Amino acid sequence: MKRSLLAVAAVFSVALGGALPAEAAAIPNFPAPKIFGTTFQSDPGHDFTKRISPRKDGILRGWITHVSRFEVEYEPIKWVKDKHTEGYFVGPPEGHVTAYASPVAKNVVFLSAFGCSSKMSGITVGKGGLGAKRCSRKVLLSRVKKSQRPSLITVYRGQIVKVQEIYTP
């Protein structure tokens, strides 16, 4: 009887495991930074004196600054409180070298805060002001070519595997 129950449980767990999308199962659950953190995230051990290269595996609060044929460049951002508004995101000061470059995975998960249309007409945010609408890789690349969007950028094995926009009015 116990063997039968164990066998059924094993089959059931395999069936459930197969129900998850492949890319969701493949990306580790990295700890997320504070969405509106007021300091730049560090990358201990990264050598910025050599050519531009990928950030270590994990989640970076940042934005994509340049799109080329084979990779994108991105940098950390921080939230700056303002006297007249709630605040805004800024990148590193001019001359401060903290840029990274990685290819965007073919099956990247892009969660938009403004829908998938080119007009960015609807707000599609979930918990904490993060994008919740899944859009294509093509939408991601065309959007970041036009403007820098604050996002949580997940890097895994040298590639950008997930980009989740941060909603800012």
Side-chain angles (χ1 to χ4, degrees), residues 67-107:
V67 178
S68 70
R69 185 172 174 195
F70 298 108
E71 62 187 12
V72 297
E73 293 180 15
Y74 52 102
E75 65 185 15
I77 58 174
K78 69 178 181 176
W79 184 254
V80 175
K81 295 178 182 178
D82 188 38
K83 186 171 156 181
H84 303 289
T85 66
E86 290 182 40
Y88 53 92
F89 283 106
V90 296
E94 190 70 31
H96 195 271
V97 183
T98 55
Y100 306 97
S102 298
V104 177
K106 298 261 186 260
N107 61 346

PDB file of all heavy atoms in Angstrom, residues 67-107:
ATOM      1  N   VAL A  67      21.114  49.393 -27.385  1.00  0.00           N
ATOM      2  CA  VAL A  67      20.769  48.118 -28.013  1.00  0.00           C
ATOM      3  C   VAL A  67      21.599  47.977 -29.282  1.00  0.00           C
ATOM      4  O   VAL A  67      21.587  48.856 -30.137  1.00  0.00           O
ATOM      5  CB  VAL A  67      19.265  48.061 -28.366  1.00  0.00           C
ATOM      6  CG1 VAL A  67      18.928  46.744 -29.055  1.00  0.00           C
ATOM      7  CG2 VAL A  67      18.406  48.257 -27.125  1.00  0.00           C
ATOM      8  N   SER A  68      22.345  46.876 -29.387  1.00  0.00           N
ATOM      9  CA  SER A  68      23.082  46.585 -30.618  1.00  0.00           C
ATOM     10  C   SER A  68      22.560  45.258 -31.172  1.00  0.00           C
ATOM     11  O   SER A  68      21.656  44.655 -30.608  1.00  0.00           O
ATOM     12  CB  SER A  68      24.587  46.523 -30.358  1.00  0.00           C
ATOM     13  OG  SER A  68      24.909  45.384 -29.596  1.00  0.00           O
ATOM     14  N   ARG A  69      23.161  44.809 -32.228  1.00  0.00           N
ATOM     15  CA  ARG A  69      22.675  43.602 -32.904  1.00  0.00           C
ATOM     16  C   ARG A  69      22.766  42.359 -32.019  1.00  0.00           C
ATOM     17  O   ARG A  69      21.890  41.509 -32.039  1.00  0.00           O
ATOM     18  CB  ARG A  69      23.465  43.399 -34.179  1.00  0.00           C
ATOM     19  CG  ARG A  69      22.987  42.263 -35.008  1.00  0.00           C
ATOM     20  CD  ARG A  69      23.684  42.225 -36.334  1.00  0.00           C
ATOM     21  NE  ARG A  69      23.296  41.024 -37.042  1.00  0.00           N
ATOM     22  CZ  ARG A  69      23.925  40.556 -38.075  1.00  0.00           C
ATOM     23  NH1 ARG A  69      24.976  41.193 -38.545  1.00  0.00           N
ATOM     24  NH2 ARG A  69      23.522  39.459 -38.668  1.00  0.00           N
ATOM     25  N   PHE A  70      23.836  42.242 -31.236  1.00  0.00           N
ATOM     26  CA  PHE A  70      24.067  41.014 -30.493  1.00  0.00           C
ATOM     27  C   PHE A  70      23.855  41.122 -28.987  1.00  0.00           C
ATOM     28  O   PHE A  70      23.734  40.111 -28.311  1.00  0.00           O
ATOM     29  CB  PHE A  70      25.487  40.502 -30.763  1.00  0.00           C
ATOM     30  CG  PHE A  70      25.709  40.159 -32.202  1.00  0.00           C
ATOM     31  CD1 PHE A  70      26.500  40.963 -32.999  1.00  0.00           C
ATOM     32  CD2 PHE A  70      25.108  39.050 -32.766  1.00  0.00           C
ATOM     33  CE1 PHE A  70      26.709  40.655 -34.331  1.00  0.00           C
ATOM     34  CE2 PHE A  70      25.307  38.735 -34.095  1.00  0.00           C
ATOM     35  CZ  PHE A  70      26.103  39.541 -34.888  1.00  0.00           C
ATOM     36  N   GLU A  71      23.856  42.342 -28.454  1.00  0.00           N
ATOM     37  CA  GLU A  71      23.701  42.491 -27.006  1.00  0.00           C
ATOM     38  C   GLU A  71      23.154  43.868 -26.661  1.00  0.00           C
ATOM     39  O   GLU A  71      23.060  44.736 -27.519  1.00  0.00           O
ATOM     40  CB  GLU A  71      25.026  42.246 -26.282  1.00  0.00           C
ATOM     41  CG  GLU A  71      26.135  43.211 -26.635  1.00  0.00           C
ATOM     42  CD  GLU A  71      27.473  42.831 -26.018  1.00  0.00           C
ATOM     43  OE1 GLU A  71      27.628  41.723 -25.493  1.00  0.00           O
ATOM     44  OE2 GLU A  71      28.378  43.669 -26.065  1.00  0.00           O
ATOM     45  N   VAL A  72      22.795  44.020 -25.395  1.00  0.00           N
ATOM     46  CA  VAL A  72      22.351  45.319 -24.901  1.00  0.00           C
ATOM     47  C   VAL A  72      23.288  45.748 -23.778  1.00  0.00           C
ATOM     48  O   VAL A  72      23.889  44.918 -23.106  1.00  0.00           O
ATOM     49  CB  VAL A  72      20.890  45.283 -24.388  1.00  0.00           C
ATOM     50  CG1 VAL A  72      19.925  44.937 -25.504  1.00  0.00           C
ATOM     51  CG2 VAL A  72      20.720  44.334 -23.215  1.00  0.00           C
ATOM     52  N   GLU A  73      23.411  47.047 -23.609  1.00  0.00           N
ATOM     53  CA  GLU A  73      24.176  47.584 -22.485  1.00  0.00           C
ATOM     54  C   GLU A  73      23.184  48.078 -21.449  1.00  0.00           C
ATOM     55  O   GLU A  73      22.122  48.611 -21.792  1.00  0.00           O
ATOM     56  CB  GLU A  73      25.075  48.726 -22.952  1.00  0.00           C
ATOM     57  CG  GLU A  73      26.175  48.261 -23.873  1.00  0.00           C
ATOM     58  CD  GLU A  73      27.080  49.393 -24.346  1.00  0.00           C
ATOM     59  OE1 GLU A  73      27.051  50.498 -23.754  1.00  0.00           O
ATOM     60  OE2 GLU A  73      27.815  49.168 -25.320  1.00  0.00           O
ATOM     61  N   TYR A  74      23.531  47.899 -20.190  1.00  0.00           N
ATOM     62  CA  TYR A  74      22.646  48.298 -19.099  1.00  0.00           C
ATOM     63  C   TYR A  74      23.474  48.767 -17.916  1.00  0.00           C
ATOM     64  O   TYR A  74      24.657  48.454 -17.815  1.00  0.00           O
ATOM     65  CB  TYR A  74      21.702  47.153 -18.708  1.00  0.00           C
ATOM     66  CG  TYR A  74      22.388  45.830 -18.415  1.00  0.00           C
ATOM     67  CD1 TYR A  74      22.590  45.396 -17.112  1.00  0.00           C
ATOM     68  CD2 TYR A  74      22.845  45.010 -19.450  1.00  0.00           C
ATOM     69  CE1 TYR A  74      23.211  44.189 -16.842  1.00  0.00           C
ATOM     70  CE2 TYR A  74      23.475  43.805 -19.196  1.00  0.00           C
ATOM     71  CZ  TYR A  74      23.646  43.392 -17.892  1.00  0.00           C
ATOM     72  OH  TYR A  74      24.269  42.197 -17.617  1.00  0.00           O
ATOM     73  N   GLU A  75      22.843  49.560 -17.046  1.00  0.00           N
ATOM     74  CA  GLU A  75      23.553  50.102 -15.893  1.00  0.00           C
ATOM     75  C   GLU A  75      22.626  50.138 -14.686  1.00  0.00           C
ATOM     76  O   GLU A  75      21.398  50.149 -14.842  1.00  0.00           O
ATOM     77  CB  GLU A  75      24.096  51.497 -16.197  1.00  0.00           C
ATOM     78  CG  GLU A  75      23.036  52.541 -16.442  1.00  0.00           C
ATOM     79  CD  GLU A  75      23.615  53.895 -16.859  1.00  0.00           C
ATOM     80  OE1 GLU A  75      24.794  53.978 -17.231  1.00  0.00           O
ATOM     81  OE2 GLU A  75      22.859  54.874 -16.788  1.00  0.00           O
ATOM     82  N   PRO A  76      23.191  50.167 -13.488  1.00  0.00           N
ATOM     83  CA  PRO A  76      22.363  50.246 -12.291  1.00  0.00           C
ATOM     84  C   PRO A  76      21.719  51.627 -12.168  1.00  0.00           C
ATOM     85  O   PRO A  76      22.224  52.608 -12.713  1.00  0.00           O
ATOM     86  CB  PRO A  76      23.359  50.000 -11.148  1.00  0.00           C
ATOM     87  CG  PRO A  76      24.676  50.421 -11.700  1.00  0.00           C
ATOM     88  CD  PRO A  76      24.624  50.138 -13.174  1.00  0.00           C
ATOM     89  N   ILE A  77      20.603  51.669 -11.479  1.00  0.00           N
ATOM     90  CA  ILE A  77      19.926  52.941 -11.199  1.00  0.00           C
ATOM     91  C   ILE A  77      19.572  53.000  -9.719  1.00  0.00           C
ATOM     92  O   ILE A  77      19.576  51.985  -9.032  1.00  0.00           O
ATOM     93  CB  ILE A  77      18.650  53.125 -12.061  1.00  0.00           C
ATOM     94  CG1 ILE A  77      17.659  51.979 -11.828  1.00  0.00           C
ATOM     95  CG2 ILE A  77      19.021  53.263 -13.530  1.00  0.00           C
ATOM     96  CD1 ILE A  77      16.323  52.151 -12.521  1.00  0.00           C
ATOM     97  N   LYS A  78      19.296  54.206  -9.255  1.00  0.00           N
ATOM     98  CA  LYS A  78      18.836  54.375  -7.877  1.00  0.00           C
ATOM     99  C   LYS A  78      17.730  55.421  -7.859  1.00  0.00           C
ATOM    100  O   LYS A  78      17.596  56.240  -8.770  1.00  0.00           O
ATOM    101  CB  LYS A  78      19.979  54.780  -6.942  1.00  0.00           C
ATOM    102  CG  LYS A  78      20.516  56.177  -7.185  1.00  0.00           C
ATOM    103  CD  LYS A  78      21.608  56.526  -6.179  1.00  0.00           C
ATOM    104  CE  LYS A  78      22.121  57.951  -6.415  1.00  0.00           C
ATOM    105  NZ  LYS A  78      23.094  58.337  -5.394  1.00  0.00           N
ATOM    106  N   TRP A  79      16.930  55.389  -6.813  1.00  0.00           N
ATOM    107  CA  TRP A  79      15.824  56.314  -6.631  1.00  0.00           C
ATOM    108  C   TRP A  79      16.322  57.541  -5.871  1.00  0.00           C
ATOM    109  O   TRP A  79      17.012  57.415  -4.862  1.00  0.00           O
ATOM    110  CB  TRP A  79      14.704  55.636  -5.859  1.00  0.00           C
ATOM    111  CG  TRP A  79      13.478  56.453  -5.690  1.00  0.00           C
ATOM    112  CD1 TRP A  79      13.048  57.070  -4.546  1.00  0.00           C
ATOM    113  CD2 TRP A  79      12.487  56.734  -6.686  1.00  0.00           C
ATOM    114  NE1 TRP A  79      11.856  57.710  -4.773  1.00  0.00           N
ATOM    115  CE2 TRP A  79      11.492  57.526  -6.082  1.00  0.00           C
ATOM    116  CE3 TRP A  79      12.353  56.410  -8.023  1.00  0.00           C
ATOM    117  CZ2 TRP A  79      10.373  57.981  -6.763  1.00  0.00           C
ATOM    118  CZ3 TRP A  79      11.240  56.858  -8.709  1.00  0.00           C
ATOM    119  CH2 TRP A  79      10.263  57.631  -8.088  1.00  0.00           C
ATOM    120  N   VAL A  80      15.993  58.709  -6.395  1.00  0.00           N
ATOM    121  CA  VAL A  80      16.373  59.959  -5.758  1.00  0.00           C
ATOM    122  C   VAL A  80      15.098  60.669  -5.331  1.00  0.00           C
ATOM    123  O   VAL A  80      14.214  60.913  -6.162  1.00  0.00           O
ATOM    124  CB  VAL A  80      17.184  60.863  -6.730  1.00  0.00           C
ATOM    125  CG1 VAL A  80      17.472  62.204  -6.097  1.00  0.00           C
ATOM    126  CG2 VAL A  80      18.457  60.172  -7.153  1.00  0.00           C
ATOM    127  N   LYS A  81      15.007  60.963  -4.045  1.00  0.00           N
ATOM    128  CA  LYS A  81      13.836  61.690  -3.545  1.00  0.00           C
ATOM    129  C   LYS A  81      13.961  63.150  -3.944  1.00  0.00           C
ATOM    130  O   LYS A  81      15.054  63.702  -3.999  1.00  0.00           O
ATOM    131  CB  LYS A  81      13.716  61.534  -2.039  1.00  0.00           C
ATOM    132  CG  LYS A  81      13.453  60.090  -1.642  1.00  0.00           C
ATOM    133  CD  LYS A  81      13.381  59.913  -0.160  1.00  0.00           C
ATOM    134  CE  LYS A  81      13.173  58.424   0.119  1.00  0.00           C
ATOM    135  NZ  LYS A  81      13.129  58.107   1.509  1.00  0.00           N
ATOM    136  N   ASP A  82      12.830  63.754  -4.243  1.00  0.00           N
ATOM    137  CA  ASP A  82      12.822  65.125  -4.741  1.00  0.00           C
ATOM    138  C   ASP A  82      11.941  65.989  -3.857  1.00  0.00           C
ATOM    139  O   ASP A  82      10.976  65.524  -3.270  1.00  0.00           O
ATOM    140  CB  ASP A  82      12.310  65.127  -6.181  1.00  0.00           C
ATOM    141  CG  ASP A  82      12.434  66.464  -6.858  1.00  0.00           C
ATOM    142  OD1 ASP A  82      13.440  67.156  -6.629  1.00  0.00           O
ATOM    143  OD2 ASP A  82      11.515  66.822  -7.614  1.00  0.00           O
ATOM    144  N   LYS A  83      12.262  67.255  -3.787  1.00  0.00           N
ATOM    145  CA  LYS A  83      11.527  68.203  -2.957  1.00  0.00           C
ATOM    146  C   LYS A  83      10.128  68.486  -3.528  1.00  0.00           C
ATOM    147  O   LYS A  83       9.180  68.693  -2.795  1.00  0.00           O
ATOM    148  CB  LYS A  83      12.346  69.494  -2.885  1.00  0.00           C
ATOM    149  CG  LYS A  83      11.835  70.534  -1.961  1.00  0.00           C
ATOM    150  CD  LYS A  83      12.903  71.620  -1.874  1.00  0.00           C
ATOM    151  CE  LYS A  83      12.334  72.935  -1.483  1.00  0.00           C
ATOM    152  NZ  LYS A  83      13.354  73.977  -1.435  1.00  0.00           N
ATOM    153  N   HIS A  84      10.004  68.456  -4.866  1.00  0.00           N
ATOM    154  CA  HIS A  84       8.753  68.852  -5.508  1.00  0.00           C
ATOM    155  C   HIS A  84       7.946  67.683  -6.056  1.00  0.00           C
ATOM    156  O   HIS A  84       6.800  67.866  -6.446  1.00  0.00           O
ATOM    157  CB  HIS A  84       9.045  69.847  -6.637  1.00  0.00           C
ATOM    158  CG  HIS A  84       9.788  71.052  -6.159  1.00  0.00           C
ATOM    159  ND1 HIS A  84       9.214  72.029  -5.374  1.00  0.00           N
ATOM    160  CD2 HIS A  84      11.082  71.420  -6.316  1.00  0.00           C
ATOM    161  CE1 HIS A  84      10.106  72.957  -5.086  1.00  0.00           C
ATOM    162  NE2 HIS A  84      11.258  72.602  -5.647  1.00  0.00           N
ATOM    163  N   THR A  85       8.544  66.491  -6.128  1.00  0.00           N
ATOM    164  CA  THR A  85       7.842  65.296  -6.617  1.00  0.00           C
ATOM    165  C   THR A  85       8.154  64.131  -5.689  1.00  0.00           C
ATOM    166  O   THR A  85       8.917  64.280  -4.733  1.00  0.00           O
ATOM    167  CB  THR A  85       8.297  64.921  -8.049  1.00  0.00           C
ATOM    168  OG1 THR A  85       9.672  64.530  -8.003  1.00  0.00           O
ATOM    169  CG2 THR A  85       8.099  66.066  -9.027  1.00  0.00           C
ATOM    170  N   GLU A  86       7.571  62.975  -6.009  1.00  0.00           N
ATOM    171  CA  GLU A  86       7.861  61.780  -5.210  1.00  0.00           C
ATOM    172  C   GLU A  86       9.304  61.333  -5.383  1.00  0.00           C
ATOM    173  O   GLU A  86       9.873  60.710  -4.513  1.00  0.00           O
ATOM    174  CB  GLU A  86       6.929  60.639  -5.621  1.00  0.00           C
ATOM    175  CG  GLU A  86       5.488  60.866  -5.194  1.00  0.00           C
ATOM    176  CD  GLU A  86       4.617  59.698  -5.580  1.00  0.00           C
ATOM    177  OE1 GLU A  86       5.068  58.539  -5.459  1.00  0.00           O
ATOM    178  OE2 GLU A  86       3.482  59.936  -5.993  1.00  0.00           O
ATOM    179  N   GLY A  87       9.873  61.615  -6.546  1.00  0.00           N
ATOM    180  CA  GLY A  87      11.243  61.230  -6.831  1.00  0.00           C
ATOM    181  C   GLY A  87      11.381  60.717  -8.243  1.00  0.00           C
ATOM    182  O   GLY A  87      10.427  60.732  -9.025  1.00  0.00           O
ATOM    183  N   TYR A  88      12.590  60.224  -8.566  1.00  0.00           N
ATOM    184  CA  TYR A  88      12.871  59.741  -9.916  1.00  0.00           C
ATOM    185  C   TYR A  88      14.116  58.868  -9.873  1.00  0.00           C
ATOM    186  O   TYR A  88      14.887  58.906  -8.921  1.00  0.00           O
ATOM    187  CB  TYR A  88      13.061  60.913 -10.886  1.00  0.00           C
ATOM    188  CG  TYR A  88      14.090  61.917 -10.427  1.00  0.00           C
ATOM    189  CD1 TYR A  88      15.420  61.815 -10.819  1.00  0.00           C
ATOM    190  CD2 TYR A  88      13.734  62.957  -9.562  1.00  0.00           C
ATOM    191  CE1 TYR A  88      16.364  62.726 -10.375  1.00  0.00           C
ATOM    192  CE2 TYR A  88      14.668  63.875  -9.119  1.00  0.00           C
ATOM    193  CZ  TYR A  88      15.992  63.747  -9.531  1.00  0.00           C
ATOM    194  OH  TYR A  88      16.925  64.647  -9.081  1.00  0.00           O
ATOM    195  N   PHE A  89      14.280  58.065 -10.920  1.00  0.00           N
ATOM    196  CA  PHE A  89      15.458  57.206 -11.028  1.00  0.00           C
ATOM    197  C   PHE A  89      16.579  57.936 -11.758  1.00  0.00           C
ATOM    198  O   PHE A  89      16.327  58.723 -12.671  1.00  0.00           O
ATOM    199  CB  PHE A  89      15.127  55.925 -11.802  1.00  0.00           C
ATOM    200  CG  PHE A  89      14.370  54.917 -10.992  1.00  0.00           C
ATOM    201  CD1 PHE A  89      13.021  54.708 -11.212  1.00  0.00           C
ATOM    202  CD2 PHE A  89      15.007  54.163 -10.013  1.00  0.00           C
ATOM    203  CE1 PHE A  89      12.316  53.769 -10.474  1.00  0.00           C
ATOM    204  CE2 PHE A  89      14.314  53.231  -9.260  1.00  0.00           C
ATOM    205  CZ  PHE A  89      12.961  53.027  -9.499  1.00  0.00           C
ATOM    206  N   VAL A  90      17.813  57.663 -11.336  1.00  0.00           N
ATOM    207  CA  VAL A  90      18.992  58.201 -12.011  1.00  0.00           C
ATOM    208  C   VAL A  90      20.014  57.083 -12.187  1.00  0.00           C
ATOM    209  O   VAL A  90      20.055  56.127 -11.416  1.00  0.00           O
ATOM    210  CB  VAL A  90      19.660  59.366 -11.234  1.00  0.00           C
ATOM    211  CG1 VAL A  90      18.734  60.554 -11.123  1.00  0.00           C
ATOM    212  CG2 VAL A  90      20.140  58.923  -9.867  1.00  0.00           C
ATOM    213  N   GLY A  91      20.836  57.239 -13.228  1.00  0.00           N
ATOM    214  CA  GLY A  91      21.953  56.329 -13.454  1.00  0.00           C
ATOM    215  C   GLY A  91      23.203  56.889 -12.810  1.00  0.00           C
ATOM    216  O   GLY A  91      23.187  57.958 -12.201  1.00  0.00           O
ATOM    217  N   PRO A  92      24.310  56.184 -12.945  1.00  0.00           N
ATOM    218  CA  PRO A  92      25.574  56.669 -12.375  1.00  0.00           C
ATOM    219  C   PRO A  92      25.977  58.007 -13.002  1.00  0.00           C
ATOM    220  O   PRO A  92      25.619  58.295 -14.142  1.00  0.00           O
ATOM    221  CB  PRO A  92      26.582  55.579 -12.762  1.00  0.00           C
ATOM    222  CG  PRO A  92      25.771  54.394 -13.104  1.00  0.00           C
ATOM    223  CD  PRO A  92      24.458  54.894 -13.602  1.00  0.00           C
ATOM    224  N   PRO A  93      26.715  58.837 -12.267  1.00  0.00           N
ATOM    225  CA  PRO A  93      27.143  60.129 -12.824  1.00  0.00           C
ATOM    226  C   PRO A  93      28.081  59.943 -14.023  1.00  0.00           C
ATOM    227  O   PRO A  93      28.704  58.895 -14.181  1.00  0.00           O
ATOM    228  CB  PRO A  93      27.866  60.799 -11.659  1.00  0.00           C
ATOM    229  CG  PRO A  93      28.145  59.737 -10.671  1.00  0.00           C
ATOM    230  CD  PRO A  93      27.201  58.612 -10.915  1.00  0.00           C
ATOM    231  N   GLU A  94      28.136  60.967 -14.853  1.00  0.00           N
ATOM    232  CA  GLU A  94      28.990  60.965 -16.035  1.00  0.00           C
ATOM    233  C   GLU A  94      30.431  60.622 -15.636  1.00  0.00           C
ATOM    234  O   GLU A  94      30.959  61.156 -14.658  1.00  0.00           O
ATOM    235  CB  GLU A  94      28.949  62.338 -16.704  1.00  0.00           C
ATOM    236  CG  GLU A  94      29.610  62.394 -18.052  1.00  0.00           C
ATOM    237  CD  GLU A  94      28.845  61.643 -19.124  1.00  0.00           C
ATOM    238  OE1 GLU A  94      27.613  61.574 -19.041  1.00  0.00           O
ATOM    239  OE2 GLU A  94      29.501  61.119 -20.030  1.00  0.00           O
ATOM    240  N   GLY A  95      31.050  59.723 -16.385  1.00  0.00           N
ATOM    241  CA  GLY A  95      32.432  59.335 -16.108  1.00  0.00           C
ATOM    242  C   GLY A  95      32.577  58.196 -15.120  1.00  0.00           C
ATOM    243  O   GLY A  95      33.653  57.655 -14.937  1.00  0.00           O
ATOM    244  N   HIS A  96      31.496  57.793 -14.456  1.00  0.00           N
ATOM    245  CA  HIS A  96      31.528  56.684 -13.502  1.00  0.00           C
ATOM    246  C   HIS A  96      31.193  55.410 -14.260  1.00  0.00           C
ATOM    247  O   HIS A  96      30.068  55.217 -14.690  1.00  0.00           O
ATOM    248  CB  HIS A  96      30.513  56.935 -12.377  1.00  0.00           C
ATOM    249  CG  HIS A  96      30.722  56.064 -11.193  1.00  0.00           C
ATOM    250  ND1 HIS A  96      30.134  54.831 -11.067  1.00  0.00           N
ATOM    251  CD2 HIS A  96      31.481  56.239 -10.083  1.00  0.00           C
ATOM    252  CE1 HIS A  96      30.493  54.287  -9.912  1.00  0.00           C
ATOM    253  NE2 HIS A  96      31.314  55.128  -9.306  1.00  0.00           N
ATOM    254  N   VAL A  97      32.173  54.549 -14.445  1.00  0.00           N
ATOM    255  CA  VAL A  97      32.007  53.381 -15.302  1.00  0.00           C
ATOM    256  C   VAL A  97      31.410  52.217 -14.517  1.00  0.00           C
ATOM    257  O   VAL A  97      32.088  51.571 -13.726  1.00  0.00           O
ATOM    258  CB  VAL A  97      33.364  52.961 -15.915  1.00  0.00           C
ATOM    259  CG1 VAL A  97      33.191  51.788 -16.854  1.00  0.00           C
ATOM    260  CG2 VAL A  97      34.005  54.126 -16.618  1.00  0.00           C
ATOM    261  N   THR A  98      30.134  51.956 -14.738  1.00  0.00           N
ATOM    262  CA  THR A  98      29.481  50.803 -14.122  1.00  0.00           C
ATOM    263  C   THR A  98      28.494  50.174 -15.094  1.00  0.00           C
ATOM    264  O   THR A  98      27.449  49.692 -14.698  1.00  0.00           O
ATOM    265  CB  THR A  98      28.741  51.183 -12.826  1.00  0.00           C
ATOM    266  OG1 THR A  98      27.837  52.241 -13.114  1.00  0.00           O
ATOM    267  CG2 THR A  98      29.673  51.572 -11.724  1.00  0.00           C
ATOM    268  N   ALA A  99      28.812  50.170 -16.370  1.00  0.00           N
ATOM    269  CA  ALA A  99      27.927  49.588 -17.373  1.00  0.00           C
ATOM    270  C   ALA A  99      28.261  48.118 -17.599  1.00  0.00           C
ATOM    271  O   ALA A  99      29.405  47.690 -17.420  1.00  0.00           O
ATOM    272  CB  ALA A  99      28.032  50.360 -18.678  1.00  0.00           C
ATOM    273  N   TYR A 100      27.249  47.379 -17.988  1.00  0.00           N
ATOM    274  CA  TYR A 100      27.379  45.961 -18.301  1.00  0.00           C
ATOM    275  C   TYR A 100      26.841  45.735 -19.712  1.00  0.00           C
ATOM    276  O   TYR A 100      26.107  46.565 -20.246  1.00  0.00           O
ATOM    277  CB  TYR A 100      26.555  45.114 -17.325  1.00  0.00           C
ATOM    278  CG  TYR A 100      26.848  45.378 -15.873  1.00  0.00           C
ATOM    279  CD1 TYR A 100      26.046  46.238 -15.127  1.00  0.00           C
ATOM    280  CD2 TYR A 100      27.908  44.756 -15.234  1.00  0.00           C
ATOM    281  CE1 TYR A 100      26.305  46.478 -13.787  1.00  0.00           C
ATOM    282  CE2 TYR A 100      28.174  44.995 -13.891  1.00  0.00           C
ATOM    283  CZ  TYR A 100      27.358  45.851 -13.169  1.00  0.00           C
ATOM    284  OH  TYR A 100      27.615  46.079 -11.862  1.00  0.00           O
ATOM    285  N   ALA A 101      27.150  44.591 -20.303  1.00  0.00           N
ATOM    286  CA  ALA A 101      26.602  44.218 -21.604  1.00  0.00           C
ATOM    287  C   ALA A 101      26.339  42.719 -21.613  1.00  0.00           C
ATOM    288  O   ALA A 101      27.169  41.931 -21.160  1.00  0.00           O
ATOM    289  CB  ALA A 101      27.554  44.590 -22.727  1.00  0.00           C
ATOM    290  N   SER A 102      25.173  42.343 -22.103  1.00  0.00           N
ATOM    291  CA  SER A 102      24.786  40.935 -22.195  1.00  0.00           C
ATOM    292  C   SER A 102      23.874  40.734 -23.390  1.00  0.00           C
ATOM    293  O   SER A 102      23.122  41.646 -23.749  1.00  0.00           O
ATOM    294  CB  SER A 102      24.000  40.497 -20.946  1.00  0.00           C
ATOM    295  OG  SER A 102      24.750  40.593 -19.785  1.00  0.00           O
ATOM    296  N   PRO A 103      23.873  39.536 -23.956  1.00  0.00           N
ATOM    297  CA  PRO A 103      22.852  39.240 -24.957  1.00  0.00           C
ATOM    298  C   PRO A 103      21.506  39.039 -24.262  1.00  0.00           C
ATOM    299  O   PRO A 103      21.457  38.671 -23.082  1.00  0.00           O
ATOM    300  CB  PRO A 103      23.348  37.943 -25.590  1.00  0.00           C
ATOM    301  CG  PRO A 103      24.299  37.347 -24.618  1.00  0.00           C
ATOM    302  CD  PRO A 103      24.841  38.467 -23.786  1.00  0.00           C
ATOM    303  N   VAL A 104      20.430  39.306 -24.989  1.00  0.00           N
ATOM    304  CA  VAL A 104      19.082  39.070 -24.469  1.00  0.00           C
ATOM    305  C   VAL A 104      18.674  37.672 -24.918  1.00  0.00           C
ATOM    306  O   VAL A 104      18.730  37.360 -26.117  1.00  0.00           O
ATOM    307  CB  VAL A 104      18.084  40.129 -24.997  1.00  0.00           C
ATOM    308  CG1 VAL A 104      16.679  39.834 -24.508  1.00  0.00           C
ATOM    309  CG2 VAL A 104      18.514  41.521 -24.575  1.00  0.00           C
ATOM    310  N   ALA A 105      18.302  36.833 -23.968  1.00  0.00           N
ATOM    311  CA  ALA A 105      17.924  35.455 -24.284  1.00  0.00           C
ATOM    312  C   ALA A 105      16.770  35.423 -25.284  1.00  0.00           C
ATOM    313  O   ALA A 105      15.900  36.295 -25.267  1.00  0.00           O
ATOM    314  CB  ALA A 105      17.529  34.715 -23.003  1.00  0.00           C
ATOM    315  N   LYS A 106      16.769  34.428 -26.140  1.00  0.00           N
ATOM    316  CA  LYS A 106      15.694  34.281 -27.141  1.00  0.00           C
ATOM    317  C   LYS A 106      14.333  34.143 -26.463  1.00  0.00           C
ATOM    318  O   LYS A 106      13.338  34.635 -26.964  1.00  0.00           O
ATOM    319  CB  LYS A 106      15.959  33.062 -28.027  1.00  0.00           C
ATOM    320  CG  LYS A 106      17.232  33.154 -28.814  1.00  0.00           C
ATOM    321  CD  LYS A 106      16.974  33.602 -30.221  1.00  0.00           C
ATOM    322  CE  LYS A 106      18.224  33.557 -31.055  1.00  0.00           C
ATOM    323  NZ  LYS A 106      18.857  34.824 -31.225  1.00  0.00           N
ATOM    324  N   ASN A 107      14.291  33.478 -25.325  1.00  0.00           N
ATOM    325  CA  ASN A 107      13.032  33.260 -24.608  1.00  0.00           C
ATOM    326  C   ASN A 107      12.914  34.164 -23.379  1.00  0.00           C
ATOM    327  O   ASN A 107      12.321  33.781 -22.375  1.00  0.00           O
ATOM    328  CB  ASN A 107      12.906  31.790 -24.210  1.00  0.00           C
ATOM    329  CG  ASN A 107      14.026  31.342 -23.293  1.00  0.00           C
ATOM    330  OD1 ASN A 107      15.044  32.019 -23.146  1.00  0.00           O
ATOM    331  ND2 ASN A 107      13.853  30.193 -22.672  1.00  0.00           N
TER     332      ASN A 107
END
